[in-house]
Amino acid sequence: MNKKMVMILVFITAVISSSFGSAYAAVNLEPINAFFNRGVSFVLKGDLWQPKDESGNPLTAIHYEGSNYLPVRALAEALKIQIDYDAASQKIYIGGKPGEKTPIFAMPMEIDNIYAILSKDPKETLVKNKKFQEVLKIDQYGDVIFTIDRKYKRLVLDAAVISPGEHEVDFALYNASDSAGNAALTVLDKQTVSPEDNVKRLIYNVEGLEKVKIHVQSPNLNPYIYARLLDTSFFDNGDPTAKDSLNETKTK
C-alpha cells in the first residue's frame, strides 16, 4: 500500500470518527454554563478527602445551578462501591452489574483453621454424586474470610455434609471488618445443612460489608462434621430475572 493510499484511509477514518462524534454530541450532549468551585472541600467519614481522577490528579467540584458536582467514579471508589461503565449501551452501573457473578475461590480469602483445606483431589471433589473442580473441605470446624470491599449484595453459598458426617452443620455469617469491633462477634445470619440434604444453596445478605466470615461448626460441637463448600458458590449483586435454584443439586 503506497503512502498516498495510507493518507486517504487515515483521512476517511478521521472523517467517520468525527461524524460519529458530532452525531452523538448533537443527540446526547447539551452545553451548560458551569464553574469550577475551588472553594469547596470534602469531609469523608470524618476525614478531609481530596477527590482524584483515575490518574491520581486532584479533582475540583463543578458548580451548576446551586449544586456541586463530582465524577461518579471518584465518589463510588471513595465509598467503596463497585462502578462499571458499558460504552456500548452508555450505561453506568453503580453497585455492580446485575447478574454478574464472582466465584468465591476467585476472591481474596483467608482460611483460619488447620481443619479447613482447599482441595482439587478427585476423591474429595465428588460430592453427593456430583463432580466439582474444587472444594473447601472442613472436617471438624473452621472459618473462611472473604474481602469483598462492599462490592456485593449477596453471598450464594453451595454447601453439603458428606458421609460419614452424622450431624447437622451450621454455616454462620459474621462481619469480619477491622472496624466491626464488638459487632464482629454477632452472628448476622446462620443456616443449617444436614447429612440428609443434597447440595444445599444458602443465600446471605452481605451488602455494605468490607469483609465477611463464614464459621462452620456443628451446633452440638461434634468434632467430625465433614462439611464442604463448593466452587459453584459465588458473590453477586442479585439478578431479579433469575431463580435461585440448583436444579438437580438443590435439596428437594
Side-chain angles (χ1 to χ4, degrees), residues 2-218:
N2 58 40
K3 185 175 180 181
K4 183 176 181 180
M5 183 61 70
V6 170
M7 294 301 294
I8 291 172
L9 288 176
V10 169
F11 175 75
I12 292 172
T13 302
V15 170
I16 292 173
S17 299
S18 176
S19 299
F20 175 80
S22 299
Y24 177 83
V27 174
N28 297 286
L29 300 180
E30 180 181 346
I32 61 172
N33 258 336
F35 303 89
F36 286 117
N37 187 354
R38 304 190 189 281
V40 70
S41 59
F42 300 89
V43 177
L44 180 66
K45 297 180 180 178
D47 296 320
L48 193 64
W49 172 62
Q50 172 61 64
K52 296 181 180 179
D53 64 17
E54 294 181 28
S55 300
N57 300 312
L59 291 171
T60 300
I62 292 175
H63 185 81
Y64 175 66
E65 292 190 347
S67 297
N68 291 296
Y69 295 86
L70 279 173
V72 65
R73 181 173 295 278
L75 287 173
E77 290 181 352
L79 297 172
K80 297 184 178 179
I81 299 172
Q82 186 175 357
I83 184 164
D84 297 281
Y85 174 61
D86 186 339
S89 64
Q90 294 290 305
K91 287 183 179 178
I92 297 174
Y93 294 91
I94 303 171
K97 294 181 179 179
E100 194 170 60
K101 301 176 182 178
T102 301
I104 60 167
F105 298 148
M107 294 290 297
M109 60 185 289
E110 308 163 46
I111 301 173
D112 186 20
N113 198 277
I114 60 173
Y115 302 113
I117 301 171
L118 279 172
S119 176
K120 295 183 179 180
D121 187 329
K123 295 179 181 178
E124 295 173 338
T125 55
L126 182 64
V127 178
K128 300 292 184 178
N129 297 316
K130 184 176 176 63
K131 190 67 177 173
F132 297 86
Q133 295 297 314
E134 188 173 17
V135 300
L136 179 65
K137 69 187 195 84
I138 305 169
D139 289 344
Q140 291 195 23
Y141 62 92
D143 296 334
V144 55
I145 299 171
F146 298 98
T147 300
I148 60 175
D149 290 330
R150 302 183 185 177
K151 292 182 178 180
Y152 302 96
K153 294 179 181 178
R154 304 191 311 170
L155 166 57
V156 180
L157 200 64
D158 295 341
V161 178
I162 65 167
S163 180
E166 300 177 352
H167 301 275
E168 290 188 337
V169 175
D170 288 337
F171 294 78
L173 175 74
Y174 292 81
N175 179 358
S177 169
D178 296 336
S179 60
N182 292 335
L185 304 176
T186 302
V187 177
L188 302 179
D189 190 1
K190 182 168 65 177
Q191 302 185 47
T192 301
V193 180
S194 73
E196 292 76 25
D197 290 332
N198 203 338
V199 173
K200 190 172 182 180
R201 175 152 286 183
L202 314 174
I203 300 177
Y204 301 87
N205 178 10
V206 297
E207 187 170 6
L209 300 178
E210 296 179 352
K211 281 186 177 182
V212 296
K213 178 177 76 175
I214 294 291
H215 177 70
V216 183
Q217 188 167 343
S218 171

